[in-house]
Amino acid sequence: MTQVFRAPAKQWLLRIVLPMVAVVALSVIAIVLWPETTWQVAFLVAVFGLAFLADASPIWRARIYMDQQSIWVTVKKEPFGLEWTKIVAAQVIEDLNHQKFLLLGTMHTSLEFSLKYLDVDAVKQAALSYLGPEAFEQDAFDKVPASLTLTYRWN
């Protein structure tokens, strides 16, 4: 069975719904107070609506898929996956901007999957269930050669 990890409702609410409701509410107030500006307000609502949708597009693109064989993401409309059997180390890391990533190490490289819009604990628990606790041990990355790290972000 494939597990799909998407942005939780809180992200949708904070990044899309509340700003759109605020814009519509302010637009209604502007039309009621200044009825002669209806077309200008409609234009501004359309512009702000498009801006909110463009800003929120990473939220609906942010997905991680996991099944018994592999983990994969879609980056620029191209699927990228990694088989669990190739992963020797895993860890949830945080960068200087407090953004979290799932770091996966293989014998050839390390990969970072952005968890910016996702439920970090749910993703970690699922990865733990597929990999086992030994992959998440502190010294697991000692087996991974120091090499190129590929980062997959949605923003």
Side-chain angles (χ1 to χ4, degrees):
M1 179 175 100
T2 301
Q3 291 180 285
V4 181
F5 297 92
R6 296 183 176 119
K10 178 182 174 184
Q11 289 288 339
W12 286 92
L13 186 66
L14 292 175
R15 297 281 305 258
I16 298 174
V17 176
L18 288 180
M20 290 299 289
V21 168
V23 167
V24 169
L26 290 174
S27 302
V28 169
I29 291 170
I31 290 172
V32 169
L33 293 178
W34 303 285
E36 66 279 357
T37 62
T38 302
W39 290 108
Q40 292 91 341
V41 170
F43 175 75
L44 288 176
V45 168
V47 169
F48 279 115
L50 290 173
F52 284 127
L53 289 177
D55 179 55
S57 69
I59 290 176
W60 62 72
R61 290 185 297 158
R63 293 188 184 133
I64 293 180
Y65 303 88
M66 295 183 191
D67 64 15
Q68 294 294 337
Q69 289 80 32
S70 60
I71 177 173
W72 71 97
V73 297
T74 303
V75 179
K76 296 181 182 175
K77 299 183 182 179
E78 293 293 323
F80 175 82
L82 187 60
E83 294 177 12
W84 294 117
T85 56
K86 294 182 179 177
I87 299 171
V88 295
Q91 181 177 357
V92 173
I93 60 171
E94 190 172 317
D95 69 6
L96 296 175
N97 296 322
H98 304 290
Q99 183 176 343
K100 295 190 177 181
F101 295 85
L102 177 62
L103 178 62
L104 302 174
T106 69
M107 293 309 289
H108 303 290
T109 190
S110 297
L111 301 151
E112 289 181 358
F113 294 97
S114 174
L115 301 176
K116 182 175 183 177
Y117 301 109
L118 307 177
D119 183 347
V120 174
D121 294 329
V123 171
K124 182 178 179 180
Q125 287 304 316
L128 185 64
S129 71
Y130 291 118
L131 291 171
E134 62 278 354
F136 280 90
E137 290 177 359
Q138 282 293 90
D139 62 347
F141 273 92
D142 292 345
K143 303 172 199 167
V144 178
S147 63
L148 176 68
T149 298
L150 303 174
T151 303
Y152 297 95
R153 298 179 187 227
W154 290 282
N155 51 351

